[in-house]
Amino acid sequence: MFRTALRNVLAHKARLLMTVLAVMLGVAFVSGTLVFTDTLSGAFRNQSAKSYDDVAVSVSAAANQADPGKTPGLSEQTRQKIAAIDGVATATGRVSGFAGVPDKAGKLIGSGWSNKGGNFAPGGNGEDASYAFTAGTGPVEDDEIALDKETADKGGYQVGDRVRVATNGPVETYTLAGVFTTEDGAVNAGGSLVLFDTAKAQKLYLRPGFFYDITVAGKPGADDEKILTAVRKVVGDSADAQTGQALADQQAKDIESGLGALNQMLLGFAGIALFVGVFLISNTFTMLVAQRTKELALMRAVGASRKQITRSVLAEAGLVGLVASVVGFGLGIGLAVALRAGMNAFGLKVPDGELVVGTTPLVSALAVGVLITMLAAWLPGRRAAKIPPVAAMSSVHAVATTKSLVVRNTIGAIVTGAGALAIVLGAGKGGDEGRMLIAGGAFLCLIGVIVLIPLLSRPVIALTRPVLKPFGVAGSLAGQNAVRNPRRTGATASALAIGLTLVTGLSVLGATVGSAVDRMTTDQIKADYMITMASGEGLNQAALDAVEKTPGATAVSPQQAGWVQLKDDFASVSGVTPGDVEKVLNLHVVAGSLGSLADGRVAVADKTAENNGWKVGSTLPVEFSDKKKGELKVGAIFEESEFVSPLVLDSEILNRHDPKPYIPQIFVKMDGGPSAAAEKAVVTALGDNPAMTVMDQKDIRDSFGGVINMMLNIMYGLLAMALIIAVLGVVNTLAMSVFERQQEIGMLRAIGLDRRRVKRMVRLEAVVISLFGAVVGIGLGSFLGWAIGETLKNSLPDYALVLPWDRIAVFLVLAGLVGVLASLWPARSAAKLNMLAAIKAE
């Protein structure tokens, strides 16, 4: 039986090609993901270990500049005491914070969050072991800096150039003293690193004479644990001390954890691709078995048992899966290399390191490929074994019994109904629990629809007959061929339906959330510009004062973040400018007046007021951040807004209790509205600071909606694998359908159907099957998109379901195009058949 299986594989190479491709792509995705994440993890682990190679102990302390009574960090005296410990070679103090460098056009190099500044801390030899200089030297004066090589190259800077650097204070200009290379994570993430003289860095980021961290290097042969014990005696409870090895191990664990989410996501999409591939594999073996029914019946007649027939089909599937797995594993290694190169191309620099190809990806590739193929082939093999020899010899195709169809459709209806019910219940429940219900319901619905899809094929495809009528005989035959074998049509359409369910669901959800965010920004922001820090940190009072003096500014208000204590609860507060806030933000007042903010009153969001039973005129006893107590009277109640806190006060009141206010945003209204000149005036008022981002309303919408669109594009790209496999399924079905219908096609040619109409018939059949799968997928995907959107209603005040009809239309067009492309080879094969040879074929 094994020899028979091997002979069948070699005899049907062309027919099994699509199955091999489907398994190969799925395996490539799985193995490529595992190799990629192993390589990435190894590279970051090596980088982490290298960073701590010379570190015996690392000491860190939380800085606190707000409270003058507390030590802001680790003092120089503490560093000297640590340096004097027996076995310590050096004790290097470090400070760090945000530092941004613009290119020659004034645009910030890097993404803001990964733009860092630090201090150059030379030892006795005048070098800092953390940095290798390729040009010049480290900064030793207040007006000198050093730049990492990537940033210097991007900005076109050379040693001796004057470079503008933005920190959280005013922009200053420095002389570039040197260029260095580093393994610093900020630079590897596509950011920048600016080194200052230690005294200058302390002045910028902390306080003169203090450090955030102290790195301790041991003398040769020194015991790190003994040094750690001595360091802890020096710093006591005021700082945290760990060995370099412990820090490297912890960082390695953090890297594993961080990459775990990426690994799971990629493997999830690989699973989807393989799930789609199951239908193609099952369809292929079903057709192969049907074509060899007489052969299998003869084998039964000469003594082969049912188990032997099943094992023969499974052996055939195992061989196909093995070949596909080996090739897929090779492709997976190439995919891992491509993913790594892609990250570097997008500025996400991956540390140097060898490609890690372990045994796990290889074993996983072989196990997944072979098992998936054999699992998909098991049902066709079982069906083949159950056919009685006499019945098989008398008929090429075994017709499903009425009982089996009734059982199948009943099971499908029950599973689909249970899934739909779970989805509706999840949509009503909301939150994470509701989304879990929807996920379970979606799985049941997909399974149920897949079971029911042969039943659905006849009525749905019947709707296409008016569209096929203008194509004459070719169109009529295409419609009949599409429903001739509902199970085969259903299995082929299922692959497309699954892919388009996911794509459509994501599109509906993305369009709905994007529209809500868009309405939220356009409805609530009246300002022409919003100013933020690129680093994500807060703006300072000096920036607010500068903007208020901008020529042409008619209204300026900060959104200053603060808090107060109400009885036992803390409540966030937004500090704004009375009189101007109404001109820059559209706060819908439901009671009272925002004008009362100028009288020291507080405005409260409606939900907060309702929950606490507050009304206009209510008095709220509060305790401010400096522990001083007072009373606030409610002067207005407004509809909850995403751009201000539940409590809104005059910023002057908050400033009395907070010497260093935190200002996330500043809103500006300009005379004459937004324009290039107006934006230039705001940028100039801020001192051409590259670290401060000036956004108009379009930029604001893009900053919120851009993330959604980026995620959608990533998802579309990952789901493309499943759609490619679905296309292969259509090609496979048509190719085998043409092979089965050789006699019929020969007869049609003999009675006058020319080659052009034969091609048209096959193409139309492919388009009909593809559109059928697309309609089912789009319908189910829209239902899932609505359900998930319902769980987000509470966090999106302007939520309303949006069906992206333009994208849905594109999906339908693409499905039709898939049918046309998938039919090219089968249609050509059908048209080239010799009619006399085809009529004689069995």
Side-chain angles (χ1 to χ4, degrees):
M1 295 305 293
F2 179 78
R3 286 198 299 271
T4 302
L6 181 61
R7 180 184 60 78
N8 284 326
V9 169
L10 295 175
H12 303 113
K13 293 187 290 289
R15 295 183 225 172
L16 290 168
L17 177 63
M18 300 304 169
T19 296
V20 170
L21 286 174
V23 179
M24 182 182 72
L25 288 173
V27 168
F29 214 148
V30 172
S31 57
T33 295
L34 293 173
V35 170
F36 172 65
T37 51
D38 284 350
T39 300
L40 215 58
S41 179
F44 281 116
R45 274 200 307 270
N46 291 338
Q47 181 196 50
S48 173
K50 193 185 296 183
S51 300
Y52 292 105
D53 267 350
D54 300 321
V55 177
V57 174
S58 178
V59 189
S60 60
N64 189 338
Q65 293 175 282
D67 188 343
K70 288 190 177 181
T71 303
L74 297 162
S75 67
E76 172 63 20
Q77 289 79 10
T78 301
R79 189 197 68 78
Q80 290 176 6
K81 288 179 182 178
I82 293 172
I85 291 173
D86 186 35
V88 171
T90 59
T92 306
R94 299 288 182 191
V95 288
S96 61
F98 169 76
V101 176
D103 58 20
K104 295 298 174 72
K107 297 295 183 182
L108 185 69
I109 299 172
S111 56
W113 63 269
S114 58
N115 297 118
K116 304 294 181 184
N119 64 308
F120 175 69
N125 59 359
E127 296 180 0
D128 189 331
S130 298
Y131 311 104
F133 280 82
T134 59
T137 60
V140 293
E141 301 290 340
D142 265 13
D143 68 339
E144 290 182 342
I145 61 163
L147 285 177
D148 69 273
K149 191 174 185 305
E150 294 275 341
T151 302
D153 290 345
K154 289 176 185 175
Y157 295 117
Q158 296 179 347
V159 172
D161 287 352
R162 298 287 285 172
V163 182
R164 298 172 71 244
V165 180
T167 56
N168 290 333
V171 177
E172 295 185 47
T173 304
Y174 302 84
T175 299
L176 182 60
V179 177
F180 59 88
T181 59
T182 177
E183 293 295 327
D184 189 277
V187 177
N188 285 324
S192 62
L193 179 60
V194 183
L195 294 181
F196 301 91
D197 172 61
T198 296
K200 180 66 176 181
Q202 289 175 328
K203 183 179 176 183
L204 286 171
Y205 298 124
L206 196 53
R207 197 182 296 177
F210 287 91
F211 304 96
Y212 283 123
D213 307 287
I214 295 175
T215 303
V216 181
K219 293 177 180 178
D223 188 329
D224 291 355
E225 290 296 334
K226 287 183 179 179
I227 294 174
L228 176 63
T229 302
V231 168
R232 283 177 173 167
K233 287 180 181 178
V234 172
V235 300
D237 296 332
S238 63
D240 180 43
Q242 288 180 283
T243 63
Q245 185 60 51
L247 283 171
D249 292 343
Q250 183 58 50
Q251 200 166 81
K253 286 181 183 177
D254 293 341
I255 290 167
E256 293 284 351
S257 176
L259 292 175
L262 174 65
N263 196 24
Q264 288 172 9
M265 183 184 73
L266 291 174
L267 286 175
F269 283 98
I272 291 168
L274 287 168
F275 184 54
V276 172
V278 165
F279 295 96
L280 188 157
I281 299 163
S282 181
N283 215 15
T284 301
F285 278 93
T286 298
M287 288 186 281
L288 285 173
V289 167
Q291 290 169 11
R292 299 195 335 247
T293 306
K294 286 187 176 181
E295 175 191 325
L296 293 172
L298 183 59
M299 291 173 67
R300 288 289 313 281
V302 296
S305 67
R306 288 186 176 185
K307 287 183 179 180
Q308 284 180 310
I309 296 294
T310 303
R311 283 201 296 266
S312 172
V313 175
L314 290 178
E316 190 175 334
L319 288 170
V320 171
L322 183 62
V323 172
S325 297
V326 171
V327 179
F329 181 69
L331 276 180
I333 294 174
L335 179 63
V337 173
L339 284 171
R340 182 170 178 170
M343 288 186 72
N344 287 327
F346 280 101
L348 300 172
K349 185 181 175 184
V350 178
D352 293 334
E354 296 180 352
L355 188 71
V356 179
V357 183
T359 55
T360 301
L362 177 59
V363 172
S364 299
L366 292 172
V368 166
V370 174
L371 288 177
I372 288 290
T373 310
M374 292 180 71
L375 180 67
W378 176 76
L379 193 58
R382 187 168 172 271
R383 284 188 194 138
K386 288 174 69 176
I387 300 172
V390 175
M393 287 182 178
S394 63
S395 175
V396 176
H397 302 291
V399 181
T401 64
T402 304
K403 180 182 176 181
S404 69
L405 293 174
V406 170
V407 170
R408 176 189 178 114
N409 294 334
T410 302
I411 293 172
I414 292 171
V415 173
T416 304
L421 180 61
I423 291 171
V424 172
L425 290 174
K429 196 170 190 66
D432 290 337
E433 194 175 338
R435 284 188 280 276
M436 289 297 291
L437 267 174
I438 290 171
F443 179 74
L444 289 176
C445 253
L446 271 174
I447 298 298
V449 168
I450 288 164
V451 174
L452 282 176
I453 213 166
L455 178 67
L456 297 172
S457 63
R458 289 187 182 278
V460 174
I461 292 176
L463 297 175
T464 64
R465 284 177 185 167
V467 180
L468 296 173
K469 204 168 185 179
F471 295 98
V473 175
S476 177
L477 289 171
Q480 291 173 26
N481 290 335
V483 293
R484 175 182 291 182
N485 190 331
R487 283 189 174 181
R488 182 192 302 165
T489 297
T492 306
S494 292
L496 273 173
I498 293 167
L500 281 171
T501 294
L502 299 170
V503 170
T504 305
L506 287 171
S507 297
V508 170
L509 187 61
T512 299
V513 174
S515 177
V517 169
D518 191 52
R519 284 195 302 274
M520 181 177 72
T521 53
T522 54
D523 290 351
Q524 297 186 28
I525 296 180
K526 294 160 69 175
D528 296 320
Y529 299 102
M530 182 175 81
I531 303 163
T532 60
M533 284 291 291
S535 63
E537 298 177 0
L539 297 150
N540 55 28
Q541 188 64 41
L544 178 60
D545 295 339
V547 175
E548 288 174 341
K549 296 173 184 176
T550 303
T554 58
V556 177
S557 177
Q559 194 286 103
Q560 180 176 323
W563 59 269
V564 295
Q565 186 172 351
L566 297 161
K567 294 181 180 178
D568 297 328
D569 295 326
F570 289 91
S572 59
V573 182
S574 287
V576 300
T577 302
D580 282 4
V581 67
E582 302 97 316
K583 298 173 184 176
V584 296
L585 291 176
N586 194 13
L587 300 178
H588 300 283
V589 178
V590 295
S593 169
L594 288 178
S596 63
L597 292 173
D599 301 324
R601 298 197 173 194
V602 63
V604 184
D606 52 358
K607 290 183 181 178
T608 302
E610 183 181 348
N611 292 338
N612 290 278
W614 297 336
K615 297 180 180 179
V616 173
S618 297
T619 300
L620 316 179
V622 300
E623 183 179 298
F624 293 96
S625 58
D626 59 356
K627 306 299 182 183
K628 291 183 179 179
K629 296 183 179 181
E631 290 185 343
L632 296 174
K633 187 170 282 189
V634 178
I637 295 175
F638 62 91
E639 290 182 9
E640 195 171 36
S641 169
E642 294 293 315
F643 292 93
V644 292
S645 299
L647 303 184
V648 178
L649 269 177
D650 183 345
S651 59
E652 290 295 329
I653 296 176
L654 286 181
N655 290 342
R656 293 173 201 159
H657 304 279
D658 188 353
K660 291 193 175 180
Y662 175 67
I663 306 173
Q665 298 107 13
I666 298 174
F667 296 97
V668 188
K669 189 78 174 174
M670 299 294 289
D671 185 21
S675 66
E679 184 174 343
K680 179 66 177 172
V682 175
V683 171
T684 302
L686 291 168
D688 287 323
N689 192 329
M692 295 182 185
T693 305
V694 179
M695 295 186 283
D696 59 19
Q697 288 207 357
K698 180 181 180 301
D699 294 329
I700 297 169
R701 288 198 301 272
D702 290 345
S703 69
F704 285 97
V707 176
I708 297 168
N709 290 330
M710 182 182 73
M711 290 301 295
L712 278 177
N713 290 334
I714 291 172
M715 297 294 185
Y716 288 157
L718 293 171
L719 287 171
M721 185 74 74
L723 292 176
I724 290 171
I725 293 174
V727 172
L728 293 176
V730 178
V731 174
N732 213 21
T733 298
L734 290 173
M736 293 198 173
S737 180
V738 167
F739 179 82
E740 285 179 357
R741 301 199 317 255
Q742 286 186 72
Q743 261 191 341
E744 177 187 317
I745 293 170
M747 289 294 296
L748 290 170
R749 290 289 315 283
I751 60 175
L753 195 69
D754 58 21
R755 289 185 174 181
R756 183 172 57 85
R757 283 188 288 183
V758 168
K759 284 183 180 180
R760 184 182 297 169
M761 175 186 72
V762 177
R763 284 174 187 160
L764 289 174
E765 182 182 347
V767 170
V768 166
I769 293 173
S770 298
L771 287 176
F772 168 51
V775 168
V776 173
I778 288 169
L780 188 53
S782 299
F783 179 45
L784 288 176
W786 162 81
I788 298 171
E790 287 292 305
T791 67
L792 302 173
K793 280 177 94 170
N794 292 334
S795 56
L796 289 171
D798 295 303
Y799 172 86
L801 178 67
V802 175
L803 289 175
W805 294 110
D806 53 343
R807 293 187 190 181
I808 289 173
V810 169
F811 295 157
L812 286 171
V813 170
L814 287 176
L817 185 61
V818 161
V820 172
L821 293 175
S823 66
L824 290 178
W825 173 49
R828 188 166 175 269
S829 299
K832 288 177 69 178
L833 282 175
N834 182 296
M835 67 180 76
L836 293 178
I839 290 170
K840 289 192 296 180
E842 291 188 8

